Amino acid sequence: MAISELKLPSGVQACPHDDAEQLAQALAVRVADALRQAIVSRGQATLVVSGGRSPVPFFEALAQQDVPWAQVLVSLADERWVPINHAGSNEALVRRHLLRGPAAEARFLSLYQVAGNLEQAAELADAAVAELAPIDVLVLGMGDDGHTASLFPHSPNLQQALQPDCVRRVLPMLAPSEPAQRLTLTQPVLASARLPLLAIQGQAKLNILSAALQPGEASELPIRAFLNSPLEIHWCS
Ligand SMILES: O=C(O)[C@H](O)[C@@H](O)[C@H](O)[C@H](O)COP(=O)(O)O
């Protein structure tokens, strides 16, 4: 199956790419163009990205793009509740692969907070990201279980986090995989994005996307809450 075979909702655009390298390059050009346009319109741009393994080539391609990085605020859709020197830190991933060279001039807004427990860290992060929305460019990934950001199926707080009127910007979340303790932006913040992009690779994730396009509960496949207009889905096999 290819993404062009999926029946996508109106305003959800399929963007197929030949391979991971071409996807990363095309996404970097798309994001850089949107950041430049936001800066021309509003004097600054906010970019929120996801962690994981697959964004690294995209981060490195974006770091090469000609963007007025000093006018860009970068943050994360989610973070593992680990310090920056931990292997699972999304902040470390972004600082290592994106915020280098000219892109090092961008401002970074951390989700990670030192606190006595995950809930306290989420409350501190909630206050720390007050300036984040509306997001100009959001880049989401998706797990093989249909999670996005750290919105994991059947996780405590998931229903609250997916509410369009959720008053929290950041909630604590438990992932089925280590590091389990997570901090995630909630649906209202993520849905504020002027340009939401979903980047996924492989047939397994396309099958999950196909399932998420069928009627059902977002609690089973949280990505469901984001498959609406406007959205570009960038995919390669
Ligand atoms: O912290 C994280 O891991 C990400 O924010 C997470 O939501 C990621 O986007 C998916 O797990 C997909 O990860 P891959 O793209 O590496 O498969």
Side-chain angles (χ1 to χ4, degrees):
M1 174 172 61
I3 194 167
S4 52
E5 298 171 52
L6 294 183
K7 189 167 170 28
L8 296 174
S10 168
V12 176
Q13 191 183 341
C15 304
H17 301 282
D18 293 341
D19 54 40
E21 185 180 339
Q22 205 231 41
L23 187 157
Q25 186 59 31
L27 197 59
V29 169
R30 182 80 177 91
V31 169
D33 183 52
L35 293 175
R36 285 192 295 266
Q37 284 183 26
I39 292 165
V40 165
S41 305
R42 291 178 291 277
Q44 70 144 28
T46 303
L47 168 64
V48 171
V49 294
S50 296
R53 292 174 309 282
S54 61
V56 170
F58 157 63
F59 289 161
E60 294 182 349
L62 182 57
Q64 304 301 317
Q65 296 296 311
D66 178 17
V67 173
W69 289 106
Q71 278 74 51
V72 179
L73 174 66
V74 179
S75 192
L76 286 161
D78 69 319
E79 179 59 286
R80 294 87 182 277
W81 190 43
V82 294
I84 194 166
N85 61 357
H86 185 286
S89 167
N90 282 341
E91 176 171 348
L93 191 80
V94 172
R95 288 187 182 278
R96 186 164 53 249
H97 297 287
L98 173 54
L99 303 184
R100 57 190 204 173
E105 285 190 32
R107 189 158 63 95
F108 185 82
L109 197 53
S110 297
L111 282 190
Y112 175 72
Q113 302 289 330
V114 176
N117 59 49
L118 183 62
E119 177 55 61
Q120 289 170 3
E123 287 169 7
L124 291 171
D126 189 84
V129 301
E131 65 178 293
L132 203 54
I135 296 167
D136 287 299
V137 183
L138 170 67
V139 184
L140 290 174
M142 186 188 76
D144 289 340
D145 59 357
H147 84 260
T148 192
S150 280
L151 300 164
F152 288 90
H154 311 301
S155 175
N157 295 334
L158 177 68
Q159 292 297 1
Q160 182 187 357
L162 289 177
Q163 291 303 313
D165 59 355
C166 179
V167 294
R168 288 287 292 269
R169 292 178 283 263
V170 177
L171 278 173
M173 211 54 77
L174 294 179
S177 56
E178 287 308 312
Q181 293 189 311
R182 306 286 185 99
L183 299 166
T184 191
L185 294 185
T186 57
Q187 197 273 351
V189 179
L190 296 170
S192 77
R194 294 183 175 100
L195 177 62
L197 306 167
L198 172 62
I200 56 174
Q201 299 179 24
Q203 198 59 54
K205 290 191 179 181
L206 195 65
N207 294 339
I208 290 292
L209 186 65
S210 177
L213 289 164
Q214 309 310 316
E217 288 299 313
S219 57
E220 269 102 36
L221 295 169
I223 191 66
R224 266 200 181 107
F226 301 92
L227 298 182
N228 43 58
S229 176
L231 177 68
E232 289 181 11
I233 304 175
H234 291 258
W235 175 79
C236 69
S237 57

